[in-house]
Amino acid sequence: MKLPLIMLSALIALTACTSSSTGRKQVMLFSDSELDKMGAASFEEMKTKTPISTDKATNDFVQCVAKAITKNVPKSVHKGNWEVVIFDSAQVNAFALPGGKIGVYTGILKVTENQDQLAAIIGHEVGHVIEHHSNERLSANKLQNMGMAAATLAVGMTDVENKGLWMAGLGVGLQYGVIMPYGRAHESEADIVGQDLMARSGFEPSASIKLWQNMAKLSDGSQPEFMSTHPSNQTRIKQLTEHLPVSLTFYQASKKPNCIKPSTTPIAKS
């Protein structure tokens, strides 16, 4: 059973030729143009399936924060204007996609108390795009499929008993040993990159810590961190607090925006 894992490691070693801004090695098998097309297609599909908010005050607020953030995103990430859509949904969520797409659900505005906390959310999501995390996740899935195919072939050539159990075990090993920690690394990296980005954009970086304290209050019996693709709220708070002195230097040199959160935000029930 060592053979397929060696083959998978060799594939990763051959393709791990780039590094993220934090120095983490990256495996990316897709081109930027491919990811941009995927992002645009996914965004267009979402716009047809999820109601879009028409509330002017809500749109003005979110667009103001997003515009301040995207001004400081390197042009190498996206050269054109960013498309920002506010989805009328109770989901406490937001996302950014390759190709300059940002989606914010109105439900997240119940958790973000001001412009700085919303900037922490948008900065985090844009951080995923800056660090090419979509490319990495797609590449990891592709390598996982290749590794499983190699393992199937290797096991098929032996007389190992209980081949089904071996294959199931390998799948679990890849999921919890590679894919999930890989996801946590992305989330932690996006937290730090996003905190720096919001600070450069003039938003108080300590708001990212308060945001995750708010999120922790919403959490209800979350599963153990080692079985999750996201770090625990407490882990995120600790990492952001440790990095805060760095972000504060960017904040002190920045131009401060003035995005006014509306006193009420219409939010759909679903």
Side-chain angles (χ1 to χ4, degrees):
M1 287 301 295
K2 291 182 179 179
L3 177 62
L5 294 180
I6 292 172
M7 293 173 65
L8 185 58
S9 298
L11 284 168
I12 293 173
L14 287 171
T15 53
C17 55
T18 61
S19 298
S20 70
S21 67
T22 64
R24 185 178 53 80
K25 291 296 183 182
Q26 294 180 295
V27 178
M28 296 189 289
L29 305 178
F30 299 87
S31 68
D32 289 342
S33 61
E34 287 177 303
L35 267 294
D36 288 352
K37 288 178 183 178
M38 291 180 198
S42 298
F43 202 63
E44 289 304 313
E45 183 179 358
M46 289 196 67
K47 289 193 292 185
T48 65
K49 293 183 177 180
T50 307
I52 296 174
S53 173
T54 58
D55 182 70
K56 185 178 185 303
T58 300
N59 274 268
D60 288 348
F61 172 57
V62 175
Q63 293 286 351
C64 177
V65 174
K67 184 177 181 180
I69 290 286
T70 55
K71 276 183 183 177
N72 291 284
V73 177
K75 294 301 180 184
S76 59
V77 175
H78 180 67
K79 291 184 176 63
N81 294 325
W82 287 72
E83 181 181 4
V84 183
V85 173
I86 296 86
F87 293 101
D88 189 13
S89 169
Q91 281 193 62
V92 181
N93 207 356
F95 62 90
L97 298 173
K101 310 296 182 183
I102 295 174
V104 176
Y105 293 90
T106 49
I108 199 72
L109 300 179
K110 293 174 64 178
V111 183
T112 53
E113 301 168 333
N114 49 45
Q115 65 168 9
D116 301 303
Q117 290 182 23
L118 179 59
I121 287 287
I122 295 177
H124 170 92
E125 297 304 331
V126 173
H128 282 302
V129 178
I130 292 172
E131 299 301 336
H132 307 286
H133 292 164
S134 294
N135 198 330
E136 285 190 89
R137 290 308 299 269
L138 287 170
S139 300
N141 288 339
K142 185 172 184 177
L143 287 172
Q144 182 186 25
N145 291 336
M146 293 168 67
M148 289 296 291
T152 302
L153 179 63
V155 172
M157 292 178 176
T158 69
D159 295 323
V160 175
E161 295 181 2
N162 300 319
K163 293 179 183 177
L165 291 176
W166 274 106
M167 294 308 301
L170 177 60
V172 170
L174 284 171
Q175 183 68 10
Y176 292 110
V178 178
I179 302 302
M180 283 193 170
Y182 203 40
R184 290 198 295 273
H186 286 172
E187 292 298 325
S188 293
E189 188 168 66
D191 280 347
I192 298 305
V193 171
Q195 189 183 51
D196 285 347
L197 177 59
M198 69 181 289
R200 292 179 193 275
S201 305
F203 298 102
E204 170 58 62
S206 64
S208 61
I209 299 167
K210 183 63 168 66
L211 170 70
W212 287 109
Q213 290 171 340
N214 293 348
M215 291 290 195
K217 294 176 183 177
L218 290 179
S219 300
D220 183 19
S222 57
Q223 64 179 332
E225 184 174 346
F226 78 93
M227 293 185 68
S228 170
T229 57
H230 289 59
S232 69
N233 293 318
Q234 293 307 315
T235 295
R236 303 182 100 141
I237 290 167
K238 180 176 181 293
Q239 291 171 341
L240 287 165
T241 300
E242 290 173 349
H243 188 73
L244 184 59
V246 177
S247 294
L248 282 172
T249 62
F250 300 135
Y251 176 67
Q252 290 163 0
S254 67
K255 181 180 178 180
K256 313 302 186 285
N258 184 29
C259 306
I260 307 300
K261 182 181 179 181
S263 56
T264 58
T265 301
I267 299 175
K269 293 182 179 179
S270 60

